[in-house]
Amino acid sequence: MANFTAADVKRLREQTAAGMMDCKRALEEADGDFDAAVELLRVKGAKDVSKRASRTAANGLVIAELDGTDAGVLVELNCETDFVAKTDVFQAVAAQIVSVALQQRPADRLTLLGLEVRPGTTVQQHIEEASASLKEKLELGRYTLFEGGYVATYLHKSDPQLPPTVGVLVQLDKPSAEAARDVAHQVAAMRPQYLTRDEVPANVAEHERGIMEQITRDEGKPEQAIPKIVEGRLNAFFKDVALTEQPFVRDPKKSIKQLLADQGVTVRAFARFQVGQAG
């Protein structure tokens, strides 16, 4: 019989985050050799990660971290179930990733995956290790970095028992905690796709115009009235997709453009992540 103690099992579990029975079996197979048991668990974990590759990770969390008020990152980490999303292990992995992201400020998601979360272990490897421990597919979702100006964040929980599933990062041209808060709440609630109507791609606007013209004609409107009706409907489309065109959620009589003008600030950029959704 392999020579190891309950303390060895506990230490192996703490080091690898594997399940207790998996640790016990690894020590038995390694005949009590602790280092060999660690390697066995890593090999097993890698194989299990490969098996889970085709599964869908549509749950998870959104996490943000700021460096003062002039830089911030927003990260989405996905898993398969909300049960795993609320575990300490999963949330600790997310916290480590967002910390590395803010410290090293990679330009994109792929670069972030290649950074070391600890000596000799990349973010990608760290996620795979946690995946092996939690026995679910884990993957890094979206990532964004804002630097310069005034950066603020807002995280929203859809369920008090779960970590935040909606996250917003906002970048203003100058400090204004009130404006940043109002804009972040607006983005979270109203899901704008663009900052201004000028940022809506011309082909997207023209496609919408074509649809609205067809709908208006199908309604039997007089030909001479069609252009004005279409313009009105196109303006409604811009109010839906462009942040500055939207009515302010706390005062619908005022647009976000007016709100920003009143507070003397400009939004440089925003990002909104919702777990399981593209935007």
Side-chain angles (χ1 to χ4, degrees):
M1 184 175 177
N3 184 24
F4 63 88
T5 66
D8 293 325
V9 176
K10 182 174 183 290
R11 184 161 68 97
L12 183 59
R13 189 178 186 214
E14 290 173 349
Q15 181 166 324
T16 65
M20 188 167 292
M21 291 308 298
D22 287 337
C23 291
K24 184 178 179 182
R25 282 192 290 267
L27 283 165
E28 288 173 348
E29 188 175 342
D31 198 26
D33 186 320
F34 188 87
D35 292 337
V38 170
E39 287 305 310
L40 284 170
L41 286 171
R42 285 179 174 169
V43 170
K44 181 181 183 300
K47 290 179 179 177
D48 289 344
V49 167
S50 297
K51 291 177 183 177
R52 288 188 284 271
S54 62
R55 283 152 48 176
T56 301
N59 283 282
L61 59 76
V62 178
I63 188 169
E65 192 166 316
L66 302 176
D67 183 1
T69 61
D70 63 355
V73 293
L74 188 65
V75 171
E76 176 187 22
L77 184 64
N78 299 117
C79 57
E80 294 180 54
T81 65
D82 57 11
F83 175 81
V84 161
K86 60 186 179 183
T87 63
D88 292 342
V89 171
F90 182 79
Q91 293 181 36
V93 170
Q96 289 165 324
I97 292 172
V98 79
S99 179
V100 168
L102 186 62
Q103 289 171 13
Q104 302 196 40
R105 305 187 185 185
D108 53 42
R109 174 183 175 276
L110 289 178
T111 305
L112 173 56
L113 284 169
L115 297 179
E116 288 192 343
V117 71
R118 61 178 183 271
T121 302
T122 66
V123 168
Q124 179 65 56
Q125 291 167 333
H126 189 47
I127 291 172
E128 290 172 358
E129 288 174 359
S131 177
S133 168
L134 295 166
K135 301 186 184 302
E136 278 201 7
K137 178 181 180 180
L138 271 58
E139 62 184 5
L140 182 65
R142 290 160 290 180
Y143 157 75
T144 196
L145 161 71
F146 289 162
E147 293 183 282
Y150 182 85
V151 181
T153 186
Y154 168 66
L155 299 176
H156 175 74
K157 289 186 176 185
S158 56
D159 183 328
Q161 303 302 315
L162 297 174
T165 54
V166 176
V168 175
L169 201 63
V170 172
Q171 183 184 42
L172 306 181
D173 66 332
K174 62 183 71 171
S176 176
E178 181 181 359
R181 183 199 64 223
D182 288 342
V183 170
H185 288 179
Q186 178 79 21
V187 171
M190 302 308 294
R191 309 182 185 189
Q193 300 173 45
Y194 308 96
L195 179 54
T196 68
R197 71 163 58 198
D198 292 337
E199 289 189 3
V200 180
N203 64 316
V204 172
E206 286 307 308
H207 178 69
E208 289 297 322
R209 183 188 296 277
I211 292 174
M212 291 165 186
E213 284 181 356
Q214 187 60 53
I215 290 173
T216 305
R217 285 195 167 86
D218 290 346
E219 290 173 345
K221 303 296 184 184
E223 190 66 28
Q224 65 272 20
I226 289 177
K228 185 175 181 180
I229 295 172
V230 169
E231 285 305 312
R233 287 177 167 172
L234 196 59
N235 283 332
F237 166 73
F238 287 131
K239 286 183 179 180
D240 185 44
V241 301
L243 173 63
T244 58
E245 301 290 323
Q246 290 183 341
F248 181 31
V249 288
R250 290 171 52 195
D251 183 3
K253 294 180 180 179
K254 178 183 293 188
S255 70
I256 293 297
K257 184 187 296 183
Q258 291 171 318
L259 173 76
L260 295 170
D262 291 345
Q263 298 187 11
V265 298
T266 299
V267 179
R268 288 183 178 175
F270 71 86
R272 180 186 188 277
F273 295 168
Q274 181 166 352
V275 171
Q277 296 187 11

